[in-house]
Amino acid sequence: MDKSKFKHKTEVRVRNYEVDWQGIVHNAVYLLYFEVGRIEYFKTIGMTINRESILNQERIVLVRNEIDYKASAPFDDVLTIYTRMARIGNSSFVMEGIIERSTTGEEIARNFAFHVWLDPVTGKSRTIPDSFRRSVQEKEGSHCAIEWPSIEV
C-alpha cells in the first residue's frame, strides 16, 4: 500500500480493556480500529451515520475483512489509522487501511475491507448511488478506481 494515496486519518489511544494477557492490543481489536477509520472517512465525505440512515437509506454491509499484522501495540499507545477508498464497483466497494504507531510511524497492521450496498427494503444488493461515487471522487481524486454504471453516453 502506498501511504501517499491516503487522504484521511484519525487517531485512537489504546485503552486498558483492549489489551490481552500479554499486555498488547488483542488481534480482534484492530478490526474495530479499522472500522473507526472507515466510519470517520464516511463522515468526511458527507454521509449521515446514524441508526435511521443505516436502516432506511444507506445500508452497507461488510462482507470480507482481511488483515495483516505487522507489530503489536501496548496500552496507552496512540495509533494513527489511515483510510482510503480503493475501488468502487457496481454494488460493492473496497476500502484500505493502515495503522501506525503515531510516535514513530511504525506500521502495526494493514486492512482490506469489502462492502456491499444493499437495498434497505429487500436486503438485496443494489447499484451504489452516483452521489456516493462523486463524494468519493472529490476526496480521492484519481487514486480510486470508480465504475460509473449509470452514466449514459
Side-chain angles (χ1 to χ4, degrees), residues 1-2 5-6 34 38 82-87 94-98 111-113 143:
M1 287 182 209
D2 178 0
K5 292 181 179 180
F6 288 75
F34 284 118
R38 291 190 298 269
Y82 294 88
T83 307
R84 69 179 290 265
M85 185 71 65
R87 180 187 172 281
V94 180
M95 297 186 79
E96 294 179 65
I98 298 173
N111 174 249
F112 287 96
H143 294 297

Side-chain angles (χ1 to χ4, degrees), residues 75-138:
F75 167 71
D76 211 34
D77 229 0
V78 177
L79 305 175
T80 303
I81 306 162
Y82 294 88
T83 307
R84 69 179 290 265
M85 185 71 65
R87 180 187 172 281
I88 301 176
N90 182 45
S91 62
S92 64
F93 59 88
V94 180
M95 297 186 79
E96 294 179 65
I98 298 173
I99 296 176
E100 289 183 347
R101 191 175 329 280
S102 297
T103 55
T104 65
E106 178 184 15
E107 189 173 315
I108 304 296
R110 292 178 175 213
N111 174 249
F112 287 96
F114 300 79
H115 301 78
V116 173
W117 203 290
L118 298 180
D119 181 288
V121 176
T122 66
K124 296 187 184 291
S125 65
R126 63 172 269 216
T127 301
I128 295 171
D130 287 346
S131 58
F132 179 78
R133 295 172 203 279
R134 280 190 293 277
S135 296
V136 170
Q137 189 171 48
E138 285 176 24

Side-chain angles (χ1 to χ4, degrees), residues 52-69:
E52 180 64 26
S53 67
I54 291 168
L55 293 177
N56 298 308
Q57 298 164 11
E58 299 169 328
R59 185 144 183 241
I60 300 166
V61 294
L62 180 68
V63 295
R64 183 176 179 179
N65 224 347
E66 296 178 8
I67 190 166
D68 293 320
Y69 301 98

